[in-house]
Amino acid sequence: MIYVDSLLCTPLENQRPGSRRALEEVVAGRVGAITVTVGFWEDATESMDQLVKWRKMAEANADLVEIAYSAADIRRIAAEGRCAIILGFQNVSFLQGRLGYVELFARMGIRVGQLTYNIQSDIGGSCYEPNDSGLSRYGAYVVKEMNRCGMAVDLSHVGERTTLDAIRVSEVPVAITHANPFSLAPHQRNKSDLVLDALKDNEGMIGLSVYKNIVGEYDTAQKWSELVAWTVDRIGIEKVGIGTDFDQTGGAAYLEWMRQGRWAWETQYGAGSPSNPGPTVHEGWFANPSHFPRAEECLRERGFNEGEVELIMGENWLRYYDRVFTDL
Amino acid sequence: MIYVDSLLCTPLENQRPGSRRALEEVVAGRVGAITVTVGFWEDATESMDQLVKWRKMAEANADLVEIAYSAADIRRIAAEGRCAIILGFQNVSFLQGRLGYVELFARMGIRVGQLTYNIQSDIGGSCYEPNDSGLSRYGAYVVKEMNRCGMAVDLSHVGERTTLDAIRVSEVPVAITHANPFSLAPHQRNKSDLVLDALKDNEGMIGLSVYKNIVGEYDTAQKWSELVAWTVDRIGIEKVGIGTDFDQTGGAAYLEWMRQGRWAWETQYGAGSPSNPGPTVHEGWFANPSHFPRAEECLRERGFNEGEVELIMGENWLRYYDRVFTDL
């Protein structure tokens, strides 16, 4: 059984303290593939500089990980007992407003792009924006170009209206790599039943998260498997996976960059709040990627059979990658 | 028999007037592959913008050309009676000082990089520089990284000392895509016997040019085939090809960008001179790519046999591409 984490937030680029230890946690959890966060606010060359650092990190830790450039790479690397790194951005600032850069970054290895992070972009509105514009005309072109270039359209932090527009425009199944159902965990970052139903029709995927700020009261193994079962009932067993949203090493400076970037001078709280400014400390049943086997266990206890557990733990994401990560 | 032009200087990117006509000349000349000039002075994002425009041009003229990403692509496209476009830069400004960008641009499709254009770079000295530094430490890293990433090291405009250093450092055969022997045509842009001998030992290639400013008195079919024969005698039949250095459409503004870029406010003459400021008008026996068959003819008249003519007209370059354009 191959485990997949559809969103790891840990900054693992070369020379970050703790990267090696974080990777060891991933491999200790028998996770065969992770979609990583190469950047949030970087422009094109800054994004390329990040890419280079991730490549150097992967080279330096080739006993544990390898960057995957295709769906076949992912299955091969996982089968070797290592972890495939799927390169993704949590924003599309790397495009720097250029439609043509979708293909160029796809060729450089980027396989996932989230249409907005926590603020409005030239593509659309974020989940925290008071007024969501919906998908812009440029945004619609970008979605179709991402479809063509085998780059997954990630809608996790995207506002509701923009999310629904993107699902409508996308000719390929979309991904919500890290979010939970709003009906169970009412947080701005989570997804309404309307979005989940649209995702079902689109044959897309959601990676259910254990991130403390968006998991609400579903923060034990028993409660979390209930959240999984609810989602499976709503959209179907083959559309549900796991996207932890863990940041294993980042700390305060990284959190500030993530939440505030260069767009504000006042403190921004992201999925936190003034009373919960973060960094988020994860404790308990699923506190880091080494605890992935506990998810398998609680799904069995919830009554999922062997095949169903395998789908949720990773096979659904692998099939999604097979379908979406086409070669140019 | 497949013809190859190892350096075409024509700006063919989308929306340039005359691009379609220029491509028709190439195909009329039965040229199966061309190494093109995507840029001279562009930084990373400007280079990527250029790449996008070249891709759009290729899409719009898919009946005539296709961008080749591998040696196999080149032979396939040529066999279809179309022309394979091999993407190259006449400078390494696209790296913007980053060693890691060699791989990123290789993944984007760049297969040829000239270490310097007409002025000194962070990599080394140009043929017009009064003092050639030789290959810098950064330059040595870049050469080895280009070797690893399947990007040909082009030394055409590079100064003598830097050229000899680069040949020594390169673990893969290098390319002089467009130049002539200095012994026959004494111009700063041309290559000394010392360089030609080093190229021979390196198993590299030279594309002999018909560009008026550097061909000297070898400007007729009969004289030019003499220049080819002399070069074959010096370095061996399997190391000689054709790199015209034609600019079919560029005109004065393009010439100014090429020669002057943003590095000078005074007029720069490149391979021209104050008495010959250009744009260069080609007339006579080999004035544009449609005249390629005339080169085949004059080589036969010079006494080369069928197999030898085939090697010089293109097969040598194709074998070079097979060897150098490795996949990452």
Side-chain angles (χ1 to χ4, degrees):
Chain A
M1 184 179 312
I2 295 172
Y3 298 162
V4 174
D5 187 348
S6 57
L7 200 284
L8 193 71
C9 205
T10 313
L12 293 167
E13 67 268 31
N14 201 30
Q15 297 176 335
R16 274 264 188 190
S19 288
R20 172 85 191 171
R21 189 186 57 70
L23 293 172
E24 285 168 347
E25 273 184 357
V26 168
V27 173
R30 305 204 311 270
V31 181
I34 51 178
T35 297
V36 300
T37 303
V38 177
F40 294 96
W41 305 108
E42 290 80 0
D43 66 19
T45 49
E46 290 169 334
S47 297
M48 291 162 69
D49 288 343
Q50 283 290 97
L51 269 180
V52 171
K53 289 182 194 168
W54 278 82
R55 183 167 67 73
K56 298 309 286 182
M57 176 281 292
E59 279 176 13
N61 297 282
D63 56 324
L64 301 177
V65 296
E66 182 181 329
I67 292 174
Y69 290 91
S70 66
D73 281 350
I74 297 170
R75 289 188 184 269
R76 171 183 55 77
I77 296 162
E80 292 165 3
R82 296 185 301 151
C83 181
I85 291 180
I86 302 163
L87 298 170
F89 281 96
Q90 287 211 43
N91 204 345
V92 288
S93 53
F94 66 87
L95 295 181
Q96 225 173 286
R98 273 91 149 176
L99 184 58
Y101 284 17
V102 175
E103 175 170 332
L104 298 184
F105 275 89
R107 288 190 183 276
M108 286 188 260
I110 299 302
R111 290 287 163 268
V112 181
Q114 188 169 262
L115 296 190
T116 69
Y117 189 56
N118 285 352
I119 64 168
Q120 177 167 315
S121 72
D122 45 9
I123 282 183
S126 101
C127 61
Y128 297 117
E129 215 60 52
N131 299 300
D132 179 352
S133 59
L135 194 69
S136 70
R137 290 165 300 154
Y138 169 55
Y141 289 133
V142 168
V143 166
K144 291 194 180 188
E145 186 68 352
M146 288 171 76
N147 290 166
R148 186 183 72 82
C149 295
M151 191 184 289
V153 174
D154 188 353
L155 300 171
S156 304
H157 284 242
V158 177
E160 169 122 344
R161 188 172 166 192
T162 300
T163 296
L164 291 169
D165 284 351
I167 290 175
R168 199 175 312 114
V169 165
S170 183
E171 291 155 358
V172 172
V174 301
I176 296 171
T177 64
H178 56 305
N180 285 321
F182 186 90
S183 287
L184 302 193
H187 183 288
Q188 280 180 286
R189 268 273 283 103
N190 288 332
K191 297 301 182 187
S192 72
D193 292 349
L194 193 62
V195 166
L196 293 176
D197 292 347
L199 185 73
K200 179 182 179 181
D201 292 343
N202 167 269
E203 300 179 24
M205 276 288 296
I206 186 167
L208 297 171
S209 176
V210 293
Y211 177 48
K212 197 172 159 187
N213 289 335
I214 63 170
V215 82
E217 63 188 42
Y218 293 80
D219 60 349
T220 63
Q222 202 179 2
K223 290 296 288 177
W224 188 78
S225 67
E226 187 186 325
L227 179 146
V228 173
W230 184 94
T231 313
V232 165
D233 286 345
R234 181 98 205 172
I235 64 172
I237 182 84
E238 73 287 1
K239 297 180 190 73
V240 176
I242 301 173
T244 64
D245 207 3
F246 280 136
D247 169 12
Q248 301 156 267
T249 66
Y254 181 63
L255 194 72
E256 183 183 307
W257 170 246
M258 186 191 305
R259 290 179 171 176
Q260 207 161 312
R262 292 174 286 217
W263 66 274
W265 290 337
E266 291 175 19
T267 302
Q268 301 294 324
Y269 297 99
S273 64
S275 62
N276 170 28
T280 308
V281 178
H282 282 89
E283 289 165 339
W285 81 283
F286 197 164
N288 71 60
S290 77
H291 296 155
F292 250 85
R294 297 183 185 173
E296 180 184 343
E297 198 178 335
C298 80
L299 293 177
R300 286 187 198 282
E301 282 168 13
R302 176 60 53 188
F304 288 109
N305 68 33
E306 178 70 19
E308 290 168 335
V309 171
E310 189 170 347
L311 288 174
I312 296 167
M313 291 303 299
E315 185 60 29
N316 280 334
W317 276 118
L318 294 175
R319 290 179 190 177
Y320 177 85
Y321 301 147
D322 289 341
R323 182 164 174 188
V324 174
F325 295 172
T326 50
D327 278 341
L328 273 164
Chain B
M1 184 178 312
I2 295 172
Y3 298 162
V4 174
D5 186 348
S6 56
L7 201 284
L8 192 73
C9 206
T10 312
L12 293 168
E13 67 268 31
N14 201 31
Q15 298 176 333
R16 275 264 187 190
S19 288
R20 171 86 191 170
R21 190 187 55 71
L23 292 172
E24 285 168 347
E25 274 184 358
V26 168
V27 173
R30 306 204 310 270
V31 182
I34 52 178
T35 296
V36 299
T37 303
V38 176
F40 294 97
W41 306 108
E42 290 80 0
D43 65 19
T45 47
E46 290 170 334
S47 296
M48 291 162 69
D49 288 342
Q50 284 290 100
L51 269 179
V52 171
K53 289 182 192 168
W54 278 82
R55 182 166 69 73
K56 297 309 285 182
M57 176 281 293
E59 277 175 16
N61 297 282
D63 56 323
L64 300 177
V65 297
E66 182 182 328
I67 292 174
Y69 290 91
S70 66
D73 281 349
I74 298 169
R75 288 188 185 269
R76 171 183 55 79
I77 297 161
E80 292 164 2
R82 297 185 299 152
C83 181
I85 291 182
I86 302 163
L87 298 170
F89 282 96
Q90 288 210 44
N91 204 345
V92 286
S93 53
F94 66 87
L95 295 181
Q96 224 172 284
R98 272 92 147 175
L99 184 57
Y101 284 18
V102 176
E103 176 171 332
L104 298 184
F105 275 89
R107 288 190 183 276
M108 285 187 262
I110 299 303
R111 289 288 163 268
V112 181
Q114 188 169 262
L115 296 190
T116 69
Y117 187 57
N118 285 352
I119 64 168
Q120 177 168 315
S121 72
D122 45 9
I123 282 182
S126 102
C127 63
Y128 297 117
E129 215 59 52
N131 299 301
D132 178 352
S133 59
L135 194 68
S136 70
R137 290 165 298 153
Y138 169 55
Y141 289 132
V142 168
V143 167
K144 291 194 180 189
E145 186 69 351
M146 289 171 75
N147 291 166
R148 185 183 73 81
C149 296
M151 192 184 289
V153 175
D154 188 352
L155 300 170
S156 304
H157 285 242
V158 177
E160 169 121 346
R161 189 173 165 191
T162 300
T163 296
L164 292 169
D165 285 349
I167 291 175
R168 199 176 312 114
V169 164
S170 182
E171 290 155 358
V172 172
V174 300
I176 296 170
T177 63
H178 56 305
N180 285 320
F182 186 91
S183 287
L184 302 192
H187 184 288
Q188 280 179 285
R189 268 273 283 104
N190 288 332
K191 298 302 182 187
S192 72
D193 293 349
L194 193 62
V195 166
L196 294 176
D197 292 346
L199 185 73
K200 179 183 178 180
D201 291 343
N202 167 268
E203 300 178 23
M205 276 288 296
I206 187 167
L208 296 171
S209 177
V210 293
Y211 177 47
K212 197 172 159 186
N213 288 335
I214 62 171
V215 82
E217 63 188 43
Y218 293 81
D219 60 350
T220 63
Q222 201 180 2
K223 290 295 290 177
W224 187 79
S225 67
E226 187 186 324
L227 179 146
V228 173
W230 184 94
T231 312
V232 165
D233 286 346
R234 182 97 206 174
I235 64 172
I237 183 83
E238 74 286 1
K239 298 179 190 73
V240 176
I242 301 174
T244 63
D245 207 4
F246 280 135
D247 169 12
Q248 300 157 267
T249 65
Y254 181 63
L255 194 72
E256 184 184 308
W257 169 246
M258 186 191 304
R259 290 178 170 176
Q260 208 161 313
R262 292 175 284 217
W263 66 272
W265 291 336
E266 291 175 19
T267 302
Q268 301 294 324
Y269 298 100
S273 64
S275 62
N276 170 29
T280 308
V281 178
H282 283 90
E283 291 166 338
W285 82 282
F286 197 164
N288 71 60
S290 77
H291 297 154
F292 250 84
R294 296 183 185 173
E296 179 184 345
E297 196 179 336
C298 80
L299 293 176
R300 287 186 198 282
E301 281 167 13
R302 176 61 53 186
F304 288 108
N305 68 33
E306 179 70 19
E308 291 168 335
V309 171
E310 189 171 345
L311 288 174
I312 296 168
M313 291 303 299
E315 185 60 29
N316 281 333
W317 276 119
L318 294 175
R319 290 180 189 177
Y320 176 85
Y321 301 146
D322 289 341
R323 182 165 174 187
V324 173
F325 294 172
T326 50
D327 279 340
L328 272 165

